[in-house]
Amino acid sequence: MKIGIGSDHGGYNLKELLKDYLREKAGIEVEDYGTFDSRSVDYPDFALKVARAVASGEVDRGILCCGTGIGVAITANKVPGVRAAVCSDTFSARMSREHNDANILCLGERVVGPGLALEILKVWLESEFEGGRHKRRVDKIPAVERQYIEGESVQ
Ligand code: RB5
């Protein structure tokens, strides 16, 4: 599995921590899309890079960090094919994989401490999509995207 990771300045320290864990402890290949220091930047720029990488298949899954995880999630979810979930607890992390097939995990450095963030990441990585009735639901999401992309009638 290859993971794309990114953050703004508000999530920079957490991104570095998670990147080191993935590379050194989990042995997972990681592509870092920035930011590369703690100077102030705009979170949509980095969320878009990771979201595009996930949507194109350049990486298998993504991780995005900002102060709350919210700004990067809002941005990433604008890219068709992306299912980005903000998780601040391990139950949500597991459900986001098992029920929603989330392909980007969003975390807030100002919300969760480093220990909890690592637990959330581990649970998210080991949880698998359950398919079945959840696949039927997830499969309806691209139809929603198409309504707006192609100007299909919205009911
Ligand atoms: C940056 O100050 C902060 O607004 C950003 O990291 C994030 O929390 C936005 O959602």
Side-chain angles (χ1 to χ4, degrees):
M1 188 196 311
K2 186 174 178 184
I3 290 188
I5 197 165
S7 76
D8 71 352
H9 56 289
Y12 172 70
N13 293 313
L14 181 56
K15 171 175 74 77
E16 293 299 300
L17 178 86
L18 300 181
K19 183 176 71 177
D20 291 348
Y21 168 80
L22 289 167
R23 282 181 179 162
E24 286 158 30
K25 299 267 174 24
I28 291 174
E29 190 182 354
V30 182
E31 183 74 33
D32 188 347
Y33 292 90
T35 187
F36 297 107
D37 57 45
S38 54
R39 279 176 293 187
S40 183
V41 290
D42 299 334
Y43 61 81
D45 300 339
F46 299 90
L48 184 59
K49 287 176 201 276
V50 172
R52 280 185 170 151
V54 170
S56 70
E58 191 176 306
V59 297
D60 301 297
R61 290 203 221 160
I63 296 167
L64 282 166
C65 305
C66 65
T68 59
I70 296 170
V72 287
I74 291 172
T75 309
N77 278 316
K78 300 293 182 195
V79 176
V82 163
R83 294 176 300 279
V86 189
C87 298
S88 303
D89 62 90
T90 54
F91 179 76
S92 301
R94 187 158 61 83
M95 288 297 111
S96 79
R97 289 288 308 130
E98 292 183 355
H99 288 196
N100 312 116
D101 199 16
N103 50 17
I104 298 186
L105 171 65
C106 302
L107 291 155
E109 183 178 322
R110 299 171 188 162
V111 180
V112 292
L116 178 56
L118 278 170
E119 286 306 305
I120 291 169
L121 174 61
K122 288 176 197 169
V123 167
W124 193 75
L125 288 175
E126 71 193 19
S127 301
E128 292 297 332
F129 184 46
E130 283 180 357
R133 68 185 187 283
H134 302 298
K135 179 167 174 10
R136 186 182 71 238
R137 294 162 186 163
V138 168
D139 282 348
K140 290 188 173 183
I141 298 172
V144 176
E145 291 169 344
R146 280 196 302 274
Q147 284 186 344
Y148 290 90
I149 295 165
E150 298 165 8
E152 288 177 17
S153 63
V154 181
Q155 297 171 17

